[in-house]
Amino acid sequence: MKHTLVTRGLLWVFAAVVAALLVLPTAVVIPLSFTDKASLAFPPTGWSTRWYENFFADPTWTRALGNSLVVGLLVAIVATVFGTAAAVGLRRWANRRAAGVTQAVLLAPIVVPAIVLAIGVYATFLQLQLLGTVPGFVLAHSVLALPFVVIAVSATLVGYDDRLTLAALSLGASRWAAFRQVQLPLIMPGVVSGALFAFVTSFDEVVLSIFIKSPYLETLPVKMYASVTRDTDPTIAAAATMIMLLTTAVITIGLLSLRRRKRA
């Protein structure tokens, strides 16, 4: 018993150290965004909210934030719909070898280097005249977000009993009705998780976005990249802090809603 408690304590300590190493470098951005200096210097010698005021007073920053929110929401919808359909279809596919190959293709954007994917998307979108357009951004980001939806929904489907669908079909329900009223509610945690990951993936994407942006449409990460190459204005720290807080809030709200759903 004592040995188990010691082992558990060491695991908690190890987890705390790993969490600190992952979080602390990112958390440094927060005090940097409140510095009163005109350059990035840590630790700050004084405090000010001027860089947040500068962010919201500059239309180029607010426009980039709005573009990221709109694209992220659209990507979450598109990737979730197609990713859920793909995960359900792969589970029903009788030919397991073909299903495995198809799943590998769907998950390829995770392992393919971002720069390689960006070059391919750029060449394709150049021919289709989708560069610098909202549909182009949504389509490109959905390609990156789709694998996360497939993984999340597929993991939930592992615990789903297909006999529930067969029972609904035997009682006269159509396949769509059986999916909507029986299967979808039970796999909703995976669907919601996939949607959250899809939004965060789109909201944080920078490499692919740089290739398909235009002077009239750029997302917040692209604007931040452009800003840091020109100067070291702490406005970029304010923007980074808002991205970090927004993505954290989205994930937290999603996890809390899933927990409440499970309790209900």
Side-chain angles (χ1 to χ4, degrees):
M1 182 67 179
K2 185 177 180 180
H3 177 73
T4 302
L5 292 176
V6 172
T7 303
R8 184 176 300 176
L10 291 175
L11 288 176
W12 275 107
V13 171
F14 178 76
V17 171
V18 172
L21 291 175
L22 293 174
V23 173
L24 289 179
T26 305
V28 170
V29 175
I30 298 177
L32 284 177
S33 67
F34 289 99
T35 183
D36 62 345
K37 301 297 183 182
S39 60
L40 296 172
F42 186 84
T45 56
W47 306 97
S48 173
T49 59
R50 58 183 289 197
W51 304 114
Y52 288 91
E53 296 171 1
N54 185 58
F55 179 93
F56 289 105
D58 190 337
T60 60
W61 281 106
T62 55
R63 190 182 306 117
L65 174 61
N67 291 336
S68 288
L69 290 173
V70 171
V71 171
L73 290 173
L74 292 175
V75 168
I77 295 172
V78 173
T80 301
V81 171
F82 286 95
T84 301
V88 173
L90 288 172
R91 180 179 174 85
R92 293 178 180 175
W93 206 337
N95 189 333
R96 305 314 303 170
R97 179 175 296 180
V101 172
T102 303
Q103 186 176 37
V105 173
L106 291 173
L107 301 183
I110 295 180
V111 296
V112 174
I115 187 67
V116 174
L117 183 63
I119 294 174
V121 170
Y122 173 79
T124 304
F125 280 17
L126 187 63
Q127 296 294 326
L128 300 176
Q129 298 183 349
L130 288 174
L131 295 177
T133 65
V134 172
F137 268 88
V138 172
L139 181 59
H141 286 192
S142 294
V143 171
L144 295 177
L146 186 67
F148 296 99
V149 180
V150 173
I151 291 173
V153 177
S154 297
T156 308
L157 284 169
V158 171
Y160 178 76
D161 190 347
D162 290 323
R163 290 176 296 181
L164 296 173
T165 300
L166 294 176
L169 294 174
S170 67
L171 292 174
S174 64
R175 282 213 170 263
W176 168 244
F179 170 76
R180 181 170 53 85
Q181 298 178 9
V182 178
Q183 189 174 30
L184 183 59
L186 294 176
I187 66 171
M188 187 57 70
V191 175
V192 174
S193 298
L196 293 175
F197 278 113
F199 175 82
V200 172
T201 299
S202 171
F203 197 80
D204 290 343
E205 172 55 35
V206 60
V207 176
L208 181 58
S209 299
I210 289 176
F211 276 77
I212 63 175
K213 76 177 185 70
S214 74
Y216 310 102
L217 180 62
E218 62 179 7
T219 56
L220 186 56
V222 173
K223 171 64 178 173
M224 293 170 62
Y225 178 81
S227 177
V228 78
T229 57
R230 292 194 302 265
D231 50 53
T232 55
D233 190 327
T235 303
I236 191 175
T241 300
M242 285 187 288
I243 285 182
M244 182 173 61
L245 294 179
L246 179 60
T247 53
T248 302
V250 168
I251 297 296
T252 302
I253 292 172
L255 292 176
L256 290 176
S257 64
L258 289 176
R259 182 174 298 178
R260 289 181 180 179
R261 185 180 181 88
K262 288 181 179 179
R263 289 179 179 177

